[in-house]
Amino acid sequence: MKYQLFTMQSTWWKFLLPSVLTACSTAVIHTPVESTANAEVSKVQVERMTRTYEVGPSAQFKTPNDVPWSLLQAGDTVLIHWRAEPYKNKWVVCAEGTEKSPITIRGVPGPKGELPVIDAQNARTSTNCNYWGENRSVIKIGGARTPKGLGSKWVVIENLDVRGGRPPYTYISGEGKEAKYARNAAAIWVEHCDHLIMRNCTLHDCGNGFVVSSNDKLASTDVLVEKCHIYDNGNVGSGYEHNVYSEGQGIVFQCNWFGPLRRGSPGNNLKDRSSGCVIRYNWFEGGDKLLDLVDAEDSKIIRADPHYLQTFVYGNILIKRGAVHAQVVHYGGDGEKASGYRKGTLYFYNNTIVSKKPDATQLFWLSTNDETCDARNNIFFTEGAGKSLSLMRYGKGILQLSHNYFKPGYHKVAEAPNAIVQDDKTSILGASPDFVDEAGMDFHLNPGSACAGAATKLAPA
């Protein structure tokens, strides 16, 4: 079997493999089946178990705030129909579904595929729920006084355009008072949830796009983010807000488009502190560091998870533009206690990295010598001269190289005298990897490219 370096083009999401489409298909809500013992259960009771709440101009509920959020149960579905005017609402989902009967919040697109818009500017908090942290989110998952609970389970949220949760914007609280959003407000904030799917959502113009939280007592688990557009988040002059900021136990990002942050924001595109993190088949463009994969600073549960030692990044397009820092990927930690750093292996396979940065670019920053990066089958291309690219800068760590592409003249290390580069001398050197259309950002390889069919096998499972 021949192996080929993985490349995509700007319309990558239209050409997903059938297996990916199957994995990303819309969840089906299953109606519980009545047993003989429950044959006398009334039809009304059965329907209540799987109620659908319709929201829209001609529906029973005119806005999301009219939905009785505190009454959601396993199998319930909230359908939010598109309308020309954005919904100026905000709310919490604090309820428990099941694997077969999740709680689903689904936008119903308009006639041209427009997603329903949830706009946080001057939005009003629903009075059908009561929760803390109103200033930190447009939509919150888990953690409420009404309904009372610390978290949610088995929740699906899809087909929504969520925007406008950041300073200087304001909202009307559940108490009817005007309040300001926090700088770290998110379009969607998962305070705690076990088994969450976020699919085909657009998150933008917020402090953070998507946030997943965990702590020493509760860790959010099994989070899937797929087919979303996340961009234009962050705050001017602040490096503490990002397109994604996640800390969970088991999280997968697949088939998403991560665009540039808000102009003037030095935040990262994806900052993650999770165990069992998988980042695959995404397009990343912009941000200070495209991937900032650091320590679980808030959760000893995550630090104790054996999967904390493995992070997988494969099949992605990563485009580096002008930024404060030169690094593309940071792996290890950024907290005060290095004992809590990842101290494992970053498996970095079949990615295409394109640097449009006018000056120096550094591919990897590994925090300590306990961090290793296994880099195989990648295209590392810079529009500048080969000497503008360094493999590592700052920190320490072990970088293992096999079957990658580089421009001639690149540097192995820069200002990282303790870093170790283990190169098996199988890299391809050339002026260009021979993209189909570099200017048009079509990073497929031409049939005659030296990189085509030149990849090697991956590490054994």
Side-chain angles (χ1 to χ4, degrees):
M1 176 180 181
K2 290 186 176 180
Y3 296 82
Q4 182 167 329
L5 298 184
F6 185 92
T7 58
M8 298 185 291
Q9 64 180 22
S10 59
T11 54
W12 55 271
W13 52 272
K14 296 181 180 178
F15 306 100
L16 298 175
L17 296 174
S19 59
V20 176
L21 286 173
T22 300
C24 296
S25 62
T26 301
V28 176
I29 306 300
H30 299 276
T31 302
V33 178
E34 294 180 272
S35 66
T36 303
N38 293 329
E40 299 303 319
V41 176
S42 70
K43 181 180 179 180
V44 174
Q45 287 175 302
V46 173
E47 290 178 347
R48 177 61 194 92
M49 293 168 64
T50 56
R51 177 170 291 178
T52 296
Y53 299 93
E54 299 257 4
V55 176
S58 59
Q60 177 184 4
F61 302 100
K62 302 306 179 186
T63 72
N65 276 4
D66 297 327
V67 172
W69 295 105
S70 62
L71 301 181
L72 292 184
Q73 297 180 9
D76 283 355
T77 299
V78 179
L79 298 178
I80 304 175
H81 292 264
W82 175 85
R83 68 179 191 183
E85 178 187 359
Y87 293 102
K88 297 277 190 175
N89 292 178
K90 57 198 306 291
W91 65 89
V92 66
V93 177
C94 188
E96 296 187 2
T98 67
E99 183 175 8
K100 292 186 176 180
S101 298
I103 292 168
T104 302
I105 316 301
R106 178 181 299 141
V108 180
K112 297 181 180 180
E114 310 98 317
L115 298 183
V117 174
I118 311 299
D119 189 350
Q121 291 190 55
N122 303 314
R124 184 175 292 272
T125 302
S126 172
T127 56
N128 288 321
C129 51
N130 183 290
Y131 58 101
W132 54 86
E134 287 185 36
N135 65 337
R136 286 196 55 188
S137 65
V138 185
I139 300 174
K140 182 183 178 185
I141 310 294
R145 302 182 188 92
T146 307
K148 187 176 181 180
L150 295 178
S152 297
K153 293 182 179 180
W154 297 105
V155 174
V156 177
I157 183 165
E158 56 190 3
N159 303 346
L160 293 176
D161 180 329
V162 188
R163 60 179 72 169
R166 64 171 176 85
Y169 304 147
T170 61
Y171 65 96
I172 303 300
S173 72
E175 298 177 346
K177 299 178 181 179
E178 185 178 30
K180 295 181 179 179
Y181 286 102
R183 293 183 64 82
N184 63 347
I188 296 179
W189 172 32
V190 183
E191 184 178 30
H192 179 255
C193 187
D194 296 327
H195 317 294
L196 171 72
I197 295 175
M198 183 177 75
R199 177 189 296 120
N200 195 36
C201 288
T202 298
L203 311 180
H204 59 120
D205 195 24
C206 293
N208 291 293
F210 181 63
V211 170
V212 178
S213 298
S214 295
N215 56 48
D216 286 340
K217 295 182 178 180
L218 289 172
S220 293
T221 65
D222 186 24
V223 176
L224 172 63
V225 179
E226 63 180 5
K227 300 171 72 173
C228 293
H229 288 69
I230 305 177
Y231 65 98
D232 195 31
N233 299 292
N235 291 303
V236 175
S238 173
Y240 293 102
E241 294 82 41
H242 320 282
N243 271 338
V244 171
Y245 197 173
S246 51
E247 184 170 2
Q249 191 173 17
I251 189 165
V252 176
F253 298 94
Q254 64 182 24
C255 312
N256 302 287
W257 184 78
F258 295 92
L261 277 75
R262 187 180 174 211
R263 184 180 296 274
S265 166
N268 301 309
N269 211 316
L270 192 160
K271 188 179 184 78
D272 179 77
R273 300 181 181 276
S274 303
S275 61
C277 180
V278 177
I279 301 169
R280 60 190 181 191
Y281 315 134
N282 304 282
W283 180 289
F284 292 94
E285 185 173 353
D288 187 46
K289 291 179 281 293
L290 282 91
L291 302 177
D292 195 20
L293 311 173
V294 289
D295 54 310
E297 62 179 2
D298 295 320
S299 178
K300 63 183 180 183
I301 299 172
I302 294 173
R303 294 193 297 272
D305 185 349
H307 298 292
Y308 187 53
L309 304 178
Q310 295 180 318
T311 302
F312 295 88
V313 177
Y314 57 90
N316 303 279
I317 297 284
L318 299 103
I319 301 174
K320 179 73 173 179
R321 296 189 179 274
V324 175
H325 292 99
Q327 295 81 32
V328 177
V329 178
H330 178 205
Y331 176 73
D334 60 3
E336 295 181 357
K337 296 182 179 180
S339 59
Y341 285 11
R342 290 183 182 253
K343 298 186 181 296
T345 300
L346 168 62
Y347 296 94
F348 198 85
Y349 297 157
N350 300 78
N351 300 287
T352 296
I353 292 84
V354 176
S355 177
K356 295 179 175 292
K357 202 170 185 295
D359 50 5
T361 299
Q362 289 87 41
L363 294 177
F364 298 102
W365 173 10
L366 307 180
S367 297
T368 74
N369 280 338
D370 293 319
E371 275 85 38
T372 298
C373 176
D374 178 359
R376 309 185 193 194
N377 308 336
N378 303 286
I379 291 177
F380 297 116
F381 176 73
T382 177
E383 293 184 349
K387 64 181 181 180
S388 68
L389 181 70
S390 299
L391 303 186
M392 301 177 71
R393 187 177 184 183
Y394 304 132
K396 304 175 183 178
I398 301 170
L399 176 61
Q400 301 168 341
L401 297 174
S402 183
H403 292 77
N404 300 288
Y405 161 86
F406 298 98
K407 267 189 177 180
Y410 70 90
H411 299 285
K412 287 190 174 181
V413 296
E415 299 180 21
N418 296 314
I420 299 172
V421 177
Q422 298 173 347
D423 187 352
D424 67 2
K425 308 298 183 182
T426 57
S427 294
I428 294 173
L429 300 179
S432 168
D434 197 10
F435 294 130
V436 168
D437 183 4
E438 179 188 336
M441 301 180 74
D442 180 349
F443 299 122
H444 283 91
L445 296 174
N446 281 309
S449 169
C451 299
T456 187
K457 294 181 179 179
L458 306 183

